[in-house]
Amino acid sequence: MLKLIRQYLQAGILLDGVVSARSEGTPQGGPLSPLLSNILLDELDKELERRGHAFCRYADDCNIYVHSRRVGERVKASLTRFLAEHLRLRVNEKKSAVARPWQRKFLGYSMTFHKQPRLKPAAESGKRFKEKVRVILRTARGHAIGNTIEALTPLLRGWGTYFRLAEVRGVFEELDGWLRRKLRCILWRQWKRVYTRARRLMQRGLEKARAWQSATNGRGPWYNAGASHMNEAYPQSYFARMGLPSLLQLRHHFQVSY
């Protein structure tokens, strides 16, 4: 078994078709990494339990909860020494800090600052989600809006499923609204000509005078995507009929199911 593990760790890295030697670390995404983490860091768990600390650990990601910043600084320093001396592990100082629980994240989650805190997606998780959406939308330019929604669906369902434990609905509402505005922005760009924009708005039920006023307002796509004429012509129900999953509804579905 040990020989097999060593071969696994010493396997080369394939980058751009070229195999290079591995000098440290475990293959990212493989099953060996969390297994070895739990074997090695079992001593850390027992040390934290012996000290009476409240903590959460998943593989090499660990949050420890104490009553004050001063205690936090002391615990961080002592555990850094413990890991270095007993387990020969180096703490990543760039990713480590002493801070309020709602200022930190754990596995993509954070929490509110209330006396009875509630789980929510961390701010960094929302930013990464938006960046992934932008990448998909850049590759979907010129495509029908239905095809764009189809490309977005796996990301939306995956993100909504992962954060199903979140208790704060505002984050999901904000992301849903932002995504619909991005799709309206794509529609506005695709129409290009003033006549096309006015005609499309009239087809969606706007009065002729208002449609022409909106089409000739001289504003950019992002402004028009969030304006009342586009919200009225392309409401949430339109995108729902097109098959766009709602993050808020996914959250509600999972919480009702569980």
Side-chain angles (χ1 to χ4, degrees):
M1 178 65 71
L2 292 177
K3 183 179 179 181
L4 181 63
I5 291 175
R6 177 169 292 279
Q7 289 176 341
Y8 201 110
L9 293 175
Q10 292 179 335
I13 306 172
L14 184 65
L15 293 174
D16 299 326
V18 179
V19 178
S20 56
R22 182 192 303 276
S23 58
E24 62 180 0
T26 60
Q28 188 173 5
L32 186 63
S33 180
L35 174 63
L36 293 182
S37 294
N38 285 330
I39 293 173
L40 184 60
L41 295 175
D42 183 62
E43 290 190 43
L44 173 64
D45 295 344
K46 291 177 179 175
E47 178 66 16
L48 292 172
E49 290 172 354
R50 186 185 67 80
R51 298 185 186 188
H53 292 314
F55 68 96
C56 293
R57 184 182 67 79
Y58 185 89
D60 62 343
D61 196 356
C62 184
N63 279 12
I64 304 166
Y65 303 97
V66 294
H67 294 291
S68 67
R69 175 174 288 275
R70 185 174 63 178
V71 175
E73 296 287 359
R74 187 171 68 246
V75 169
K76 179 174 178 288
S78 64
L79 287 178
T80 299
R81 288 195 302 272
F82 173 83
L83 290 168
E85 295 172 1
H86 292 271
L87 302 180
R88 300 180 185 177
L89 295 175
R90 184 176 68 255
V91 173
N92 189 335
E93 292 293 341
K94 293 182 179 179
K95 295 183 178 180
S96 304
V98 177
R100 298 288 190 182
W102 54 86
Q103 295 173 335
R104 304 295 294 170
K105 64 182 180 66
F106 184 68
L107 304 179
Y109 280 86
S110 186
M111 63 182 71
T112 64
F113 58 85
H114 302 97
K115 187 174 182 180
Q116 294 293 331
R118 295 182 297 164
L119 284 176
K120 66 176 185 177
E124 293 87 343
S125 300
K127 292 178 181 177
R128 284 197 297 269
F129 170 80
K130 287 185 175 181
E131 186 54 40
K132 290 178 181 179
V133 168
R134 290 188 183 101
V135 171
I136 294 175
L137 294 183
R138 280 197 294 268
T139 59
R141 288 176 182 173
H143 295 181
I145 198 70
N147 293 337
T148 302
I149 289 175
E150 186 178 349
L152 287 168
T153 297
L155 171 63
L156 298 176
R157 292 195 180 280
W159 201 89
T161 302
Y162 183 82
F163 288 102
R164 63 186 180 274
L165 300 177
E167 301 166 281
V168 178
R169 58 180 288 157
V171 177
F172 297 86
E173 289 177 335
E174 187 272 330
L175 290 175
D176 276 340
W178 175 84
L179 180 56
R180 289 193 296 271
R181 186 171 180 179
K182 292 290 287 186
L183 293 174
R184 293 188 192 104
C185 187
I186 290 175
L187 289 172
W188 191 265
R189 289 181 184 276
Q190 287 178 345
W191 296 337
K192 296 181 181 179
R193 297 167 55 194
V194 169
Y195 173 78
T196 305
R197 290 169 178 171
R199 180 167 56 85
R200 293 287 190 179
L201 291 174
M202 285 188 285
Q203 287 175 348
R204 294 295 304 167
L206 268 67
E207 295 180 356
K208 183 177 180 180
R210 187 182 177 197
W212 277 103
Q213 182 182 8
S214 302
T216 58
N217 61 22
R219 301 275 191 164
W222 183 247
Y223 170 86
N224 281 283
S228 60
H229 53 271
M230 282 296 283
N231 277 276
E232 184 176 331
Y234 293 88
Q236 179 180 352
S237 58
Y238 169 82
F239 294 106
R241 288 194 301 271
M242 294 290 291
L244 181 70
S246 165
L247 295 175
L248 185 61
Q249 290 180 2
L250 284 171
R251 166 189 171 272
H252 177 71
H253 168 75
F254 283 114
Q255 291 191 348
V256 169
S257 300
Y258 285 96

